[in-house]
Amino acid sequence: RVLLVAPLSTLLGQLNWQGELQREGITPCLLSATPKDQRPSLLRPATIRHARLQRRWATGWFAVNYEALRTQPELLDGPWDGIILDESTRIRTPQAQITQTLTSKRIDHIQHRAVLTGLPNPENPLDYFCQFKFLDGHFMGADNFWAFKHKMFYQGFSEWDWQPRPKTRERIKTYVHQRAFVLTRKQAGVGSSKVRQQRSVELNPAQRRAIKEMRKDFEIDGTETKWATVVHIWLQRIAGGFHPVTLELISSAKIRLAESLIVEDFAHEPVVMWFRFNEEMLYLQRWLKTRHPKLRVEMVRGAVARDERPKIQERFQRGETQVLLMQVKLGRYGWNLSRSSTAVYYSNSYEFEDRSQSEDRIIHLTKKDSCLYLDLVTMGTPDEDVVASLSDKRLTARLFNNRLSDSIQKVLR
C-alpha cells in the first residue's frame, strides 16, 4: 500500500503520475477526486473471519494532493507500507500546517519513505531540514528546526537574514549526498541546453509618471502604501503595461511585442508563454483571438477546471494547440510541455523556485535540441534585473532575491 502525495497538476493526466503508473501496469486510486463520504471505498468488501464481518484496506497505489491531505490528515492513519512526496519543497516551511502534519508522529508507522524534487533548497540550506525530518525523523541528528537554525546559522542584519556559520554549507552538502540520490541533467548526459535571450520595450509617459509618483510619495492615484513589497508588485504591473490599481492597460508595448513573436518569429512553432498576473494573460488572449482568430491559443489559470487541465496539456503535446498561456504559480510543477522548445516570459514571479521549475516544463530526458528562454523586458524596471541575475552562473536563490530587492531600492531612490 503506497500513498503518493503530490501537487494535483502532477497527478492527473496521461503525461503525469496517473499515466506513468498505468503504463507500468498500476491503476492508481486518486483520493483527491474522492469525496470524503466515499472514502470507505478504500476498504475491501467484508470478509468472514472468526465468525464476524471484517473489512481491510485495499492494496495498491493511492494518490492525494497536498491540499486534500492538509484537510484530511486522517488518511495518514491507514496501514501504509510506503509514502512518497513529489515536489517535496511543499514541506520546507516548518510553520506550514501540511509540514507539521507530515513531520508528526502520525507517520511513525510508515516504514518506507521517499521525497522527490528537482530543486530541494530554493531559498537556502535550511530548506532541507523538514524534508529530511519527514524521511528520517531528524536532520543531521537534530529534530527541532529552531534549535538547528540557531546552532548552525547566525542572524545577519535583519530578522529574516540568517547566514550559515563556517563550514555549515560543506557539512550540509556532505550529509545530503550521503542520504540522497543527487544527479544533474548534465551529469546524466540527458536533456537540453538552455539559451537565454531578451526583447526590450521602453516606458511610455504614463508609465514614467506612475513610477515617479510612487518614488516620490509611495502612492499611485490616491492609493497609498508604506510597504516596499507592495511597491514591488506595483512596479511589475507597470512593467507589464497595466495600471497597478485599476488594472487598466496603460501601455500596449509588451502586448504588441508578444504578438509579433507569436505570429511572426515563432509562427510555425509551439510556444509556452508564462505570466505572473492574470490580467496580462487574459488581455493577451483576447487580443490574439480578436486579431488572429485562426491562431490556436489556450490558457491555464486558477479558474480552469482541474479535470480540464490534463486535457489542455495533452492537446498541446499532440499539436492541436500552438500557443499555451500559463500562470507561473499554477504551471511550475509537473506539466510536460516538451513539444515546445521556446518559453517566453511576459512577466516573472520574483521567487527563484517559480522560475527554475517553470523553465523545466519544456525539458525532457529524451530531448536533445536547445531550449530558448526569452524574457520580455521593460527598460527601467526590475524586469532587467531578473535577466541579469539569471545570466549569472553563480546564481543562488539568495543572490537572485537580493538583486531584485536592490533594483527596487534603486528605482525608488
Side-chain angles (χ1 to χ4, degrees), residues 212-236:
K212 182 178 180 180
E213 185 177 359
M214 289 160 46
R215 183 174 60 218
K216 180 181 178 183
D217 302 317
F218 268 50
E219 177 183 348
I220 180 71
D221 291 346
T223 301
E224 299 180 355
T225 184
K226 62 179 180 180
W227 304 109
T229 51
V230 175
V231 176
H232 191 170
I233 295 172
W234 286 356
L235 283 169
Q236 194 178 20

Short mmCIF file of all heavy atoms in Angstrom, two decimals, residues 212-236:
data_model
loop_
_atom_site.label_atom_id
_atom_site.label_comp_id
_atom_site.label_asym_id
_atom_site.label_seq_id
_atom_site.Cartn_x
_atom_site.Cartn_y
_atom_site.Cartn_z
N LYS A 212 7.25 57.73 -11.14
CA LYS A 212 7.69 58.96 -10.47
C LYS A 212 6.84 59.23 -9.24
O LYS A 212 7.36 59.61 -8.18
CB LYS A 212 7.62 60.13 -11.44
CG LYS A 212 8.11 61.45 -10.85
CD LYS A 212 8.07 62.56 -11.89
CE LYS A 212 8.57 63.87 -11.29
NZ LYS A 212 8.52 64.98 -12.30
N GLU A 213 5.52 59.04 -9.37
CA GLU A 213 4.62 59.27 -8.24
C GLU A 213 4.89 58.27 -7.12
O GLU A 213 4.91 58.63 -5.94
CB GLU A 213 3.17 59.14 -8.71
CG GLU A 213 2.15 59.48 -7.63
CD GLU A 213 0.72 59.40 -8.14
OE1 GLU A 213 0.53 59.12 -9.35
OE2 GLU A 213 -0.20 59.62 -7.34
N MET A 214 5.11 57.02 -7.47
CA MET A 214 5.42 56.01 -6.47
C MET A 214 6.73 56.31 -5.76
O MET A 214 6.85 56.16 -4.54
CB MET A 214 5.49 54.63 -7.14
CG MET A 214 4.15 54.09 -7.60
SD MET A 214 4.32 52.79 -8.84
CE MET A 214 5.58 51.78 -8.12
N ARG A 215 7.72 56.76 -6.52
CA ARG A 215 9.03 57.05 -5.95
C ARG A 215 8.95 58.24 -4.98
O ARG A 215 9.61 58.24 -3.93
CB ARG A 215 10.02 57.35 -7.06
CG ARG A 215 11.45 57.62 -6.58
CD ARG A 215 12.39 57.75 -7.75
NE ARG A 215 12.00 58.86 -8.60
CZ ARG A 215 12.08 58.86 -9.93
NH1 ARG A 215 12.52 57.78 -10.55
NH2 ARG A 215 11.73 59.90 -10.63
N LYS A 216 8.11 59.19 -5.32
CA LYS A 216 8.04 60.40 -4.50
C LYS A 216 7.22 60.21 -3.23
O LYS A 216 7.63 60.63 -2.15
CB LYS A 216 7.43 61.53 -5.34
CG LYS A 216 7.30 62.85 -4.60
CD LYS A 216 6.68 63.92 -5.50
CE LYS A 216 6.51 65.24 -4.76
NZ LYS A 216 5.84 66.26 -5.62
N ASP A 217 6.06 59.55 -3.34
CA ASP A 217 5.11 59.53 -2.23
C ASP A 217 4.68 58.13 -1.80
O ASP A 217 3.81 58.01 -0.93
CB ASP A 217 3.85 60.33 -2.60
CG ASP A 217 4.17 61.78 -2.97
OD1 ASP A 217 4.98 62.38 -2.25
OD2 ASP A 217 3.61 62.27 -3.97
N PHE A 218 5.23 57.06 -2.40
CA PHE A 218 4.71 55.72 -2.14
C PHE A 218 3.19 55.71 -2.36
O PHE A 218 2.44 55.14 -1.59
CB PHE A 218 5.05 55.24 -0.72
CG PHE A 218 6.33 54.46 -0.63
CD1 PHE A 218 7.50 54.95 -1.20
CD2 PHE A 218 6.37 53.25 0.01
CE1 PHE A 218 8.67 54.22 -1.11
CE2 PHE A 218 7.55 52.51 0.10
CZ PHE A 218 8.71 53.01 -0.48
N GLU A 219 2.78 56.31 -3.47
CA GLU A 219 1.36 56.48 -3.75
C GLU A 219 1.14 56.41 -5.25
O GLU A 219 2.01 56.76 -6.05
CB GLU A 219 0.89 57.84 -3.22
CG GLU A 219 -0.56 58.16 -3.51
CD GLU A 219 -0.95 59.56 -3.04
OE1 GLU A 219 -0.15 60.16 -2.28
OE2 GLU A 219 -2.02 60.03 -3.43
N ILE A 220 -0.04 55.93 -5.64
CA ILE A 220 -0.41 55.92 -7.04
C ILE A 220 -1.89 56.26 -7.17
O ILE A 220 -2.75 55.55 -6.65
CB ILE A 220 -0.10 54.55 -7.71
CG1 ILE A 220 -0.48 54.57 -9.18
CG2 ILE A 220 -0.76 53.40 -6.99
CD1 ILE A 220 0.41 55.39 -10.04
N ASP A 221 -2.19 57.41 -7.77
CA ASP A 221 -3.56 57.87 -7.99
C ASP A 221 -4.42 57.78 -6.74
O ASP A 221 -5.56 57.27 -6.76
CB ASP A 221 -4.21 57.08 -9.13
CG ASP A 221 -3.60 57.40 -10.48
OD1 ASP A 221 -2.86 58.40 -10.58
OD2 ASP A 221 -3.85 56.64 -11.43
N GLY A 222 -3.89 58.26 -5.61
CA GLY A 222 -4.65 58.31 -4.37
C GLY A 222 -4.55 57.07 -3.50
O GLY A 222 -5.01 57.07 -2.36
N THR A 223 -3.96 56.00 -4.00
CA THR A 223 -3.78 54.78 -3.21
C THR A 223 -2.38 54.77 -2.63
O THR A 223 -1.39 54.83 -3.37
CB THR A 223 -3.99 53.52 -4.07
OG1 THR A 223 -5.31 53.54 -4.62
CG2 THR A 223 -3.81 52.26 -3.23
N GLU A 224 -2.29 54.73 -1.30
CA GLU A 224 -1.01 54.83 -0.62
C GLU A 224 -0.58 53.49 -0.03
O GLU A 224 -1.40 52.60 0.21
CB GLU A 224 -1.09 55.86 0.52
CG GLU A 224 -1.43 57.27 0.07
CD GLU A 224 -1.48 58.24 1.24
OE1 GLU A 224 -1.34 57.77 2.40
OE2 GLU A 224 -1.67 59.44 1.01
N THR A 225 0.72 53.36 0.19
CA THR A 225 1.25 52.21 0.89
C THR A 225 2.51 52.63 1.64
O THR A 225 3.15 53.63 1.28
CB THR A 225 1.59 51.06 -0.07
OG1 THR A 225 2.02 49.92 0.69
CG2 THR A 225 2.72 51.44 -1.03
N LYS A 226 2.86 51.89 2.66
CA LYS A 226 4.13 52.12 3.35
C LYS A 226 5.06 50.92 3.20
O LYS A 226 6.13 50.89 3.78
CB LYS A 226 3.88 52.39 4.84
CG LYS A 226 3.23 51.25 5.60
CD LYS A 226 3.04 51.63 7.07
CE LYS A 226 2.38 50.48 7.84
NZ LYS A 226 2.21 50.83 9.28
N TRP A 227 4.64 49.94 2.39
CA TRP A 227 5.39 48.70 2.28
C TRP A 227 6.13 48.62 0.95
O TRP A 227 5.55 48.81 -0.11
CB TRP A 227 4.45 47.49 2.41
CG TRP A 227 3.64 47.48 3.66
CD1 TRP A 227 2.31 47.70 3.79
CD2 TRP A 227 4.15 47.26 4.99
NE1 TRP A 227 1.93 47.63 5.09
CE2 TRP A 227 3.03 47.35 5.86
CE3 TRP A 227 5.41 46.99 5.52
CZ2 TRP A 227 3.16 47.19 7.24
CZ3 TRP A 227 5.53 46.82 6.89
CH2 TRP A 227 4.42 46.92 7.73
N ALA A 228 7.41 48.28 1.02
CA ALA A 228 8.21 48.13 -0.20
C ALA A 228 7.72 46.95 -1.04
O ALA A 228 7.82 46.98 -2.26
CB ALA A 228 9.68 47.94 0.16
N THR A 229 7.18 45.92 -0.38
CA THR A 229 6.69 44.76 -1.14
C THR A 229 5.51 45.13 -2.04
O THR A 229 5.35 44.59 -3.13
CB THR A 229 6.27 43.62 -0.20
OG1 THR A 229 5.38 44.14 0.79
CG2 THR A 229 7.47 43.01 0.48
N VAL A 230 4.67 46.03 -1.55
CA VAL A 230 3.54 46.50 -2.37
C VAL A 230 4.06 47.29 -3.56
O VAL A 230 3.59 47.11 -4.70
CB VAL A 230 2.56 47.34 -1.53
CG1 VAL A 230 1.45 47.92 -2.41
CG2 VAL A 230 1.96 46.50 -0.41
N VAL A 231 5.03 48.16 -3.31
CA VAL A 231 5.63 48.92 -4.41
C VAL A 231 6.27 47.98 -5.42
O VAL A 231 6.20 48.20 -6.64
CB VAL A 231 6.68 49.92 -3.85
CG1 VAL A 231 7.38 50.65 -4.99
CG2 VAL A 231 6.01 50.92 -2.92
N HIS A 232 6.86 46.91 -4.91
CA HIS A 232 7.46 45.87 -5.75
C HIS A 232 6.43 45.33 -6.76
O HIS A 232 6.68 45.25 -7.96
CB HIS A 232 7.94 44.76 -4.83
CG HIS A 232 8.81 43.74 -5.48
ND1 HIS A 232 9.48 42.78 -4.76
CD2 HIS A 232 9.11 43.49 -6.76
CE1 HIS A 232 10.17 42.01 -5.57
NE2 HIS A 232 9.95 42.41 -6.80
N ILE A 233 5.26 44.97 -6.25
CA ILE A 233 4.19 44.44 -7.11
C ILE A 233 3.71 45.51 -8.08
O ILE A 233 3.47 45.24 -9.26
CB ILE A 233 3.04 43.91 -6.25
CG1 ILE A 233 3.51 42.72 -5.43
CG2 ILE A 233 1.84 43.52 -7.13
CD1 ILE A 233 2.51 42.22 -4.41
N TRP A 234 3.55 46.74 -7.60
CA TRP A 234 3.13 47.84 -8.48
C TRP A 234 4.10 48.01 -9.64
O TRP A 234 3.69 48.21 -10.78
CB TRP A 234 3.06 49.14 -7.68
CG TRP A 234 1.87 49.23 -6.76
CD1 TRP A 234 0.86 48.33 -6.64
CD2 TRP A 234 1.58 50.29 -5.85
NE1 TRP A 234 -0.04 48.76 -5.70
CE2 TRP A 234 0.37 49.95 -5.20
CE3 TRP A 234 2.23 51.47 -5.50
CZ2 TRP A 234 -0.21 50.77 -4.23
CZ3 TRP A 234 1.65 52.29 -4.55
CH2 TRP A 234 0.44 51.95 -3.92
N LEU A 235 5.39 47.96 -9.33
CA LEU A 235 6.40 48.12 -10.37
C LEU A 235 6.28 47.06 -11.45
O LEU A 235 6.40 47.35 -12.65
CB LEU A 235 7.81 48.07 -9.76
CG LEU A 235 8.29 49.32 -9.03
CD1 LEU A 235 9.57 49.01 -8.25
CD2 LEU A 235 8.53 50.46 -10.01
N GLN A 236 6.02 45.82 -11.04
CA GLN A 236 5.94 44.77 -12.05
C GLN A 236 4.66 44.88 -12.87
O GLN A 236 4.65 44.58 -14.06
CB GLN A 236 6.03 43.38 -11.43
CG GLN A 236 6.29 42.32 -12.51
CD GLN A 236 6.45 40.93 -11.96
OE1 GLN A 236 6.03 40.65 -10.85
NE2 GLN A 236 7.04 40.05 -12.76
#
